[in-house]
Amino acid sequence: MPIRYEASTAYLEGVCTVEEAMDIQDWLRKTDSPEIDLADCTHFHTAIFQVLSAARPRIASRPKDVFLAQWITPLLSGDDGDAQGSDG
């Protein structure tokens, strides 16, 4: 499963498709202070990007994938490229 949910953290792993967008949206609505771990994510559908953009959850770990880390994570976290909880 491309998204693993544990307590208040959702782990996006590998390729996350449009099919997961509604699930993560529901999870974000039901979770107090949700966090998203993108460390092992290599791609996510634009529908997931839209859900994350609207919800603005805390980014617990930035992706190892260079494109996601450089171009997408800053758009989600609203920062200059150093995502919250950055692993370095």
Side-chain angles (χ1 to χ4, degrees):
M1 183 164 206
I3 302 177
R4 179 171 44 98
Y5 301 98
E6 292 184 7
S8 63
T9 304
Y11 298 85
L12 279 67
E13 300 169 337
V15 176
C16 301
T17 64
V18 68
E19 287 81 14
E20 283 83 41
M22 293 300 289
D23 289 340
I24 197 164
Q25 183 179 31
D26 290 341
W27 179 82
L28 287 164
R29 286 184 185 156
K30 296 175 186 175
T31 304
D32 292 328
S33 302
E35 296 183 352
I36 303 295
D37 185 308
L38 297 171
D40 294 323
C41 184
T42 57
H43 174 83
F44 56 83
H45 193 276
T46 54
I48 294 174
F49 175 77
Q50 291 172 333
V51 168
L52 297 177
S53 293
R56 292 286 185 177
R58 182 179 178 279
I59 304 298
S61 292
R62 71 183 308 139
K64 295 172 194 166
D65 179 87
V66 175
F67 178 81
L68 289 178
Q70 185 174 0
W71 297 103
I72 303 302
T73 304
L75 297 174
L76 296 175
S77 59
D79 63 17
D80 63 1
D82 289 333
Q84 301 164 348
S86 173
D87 290 332

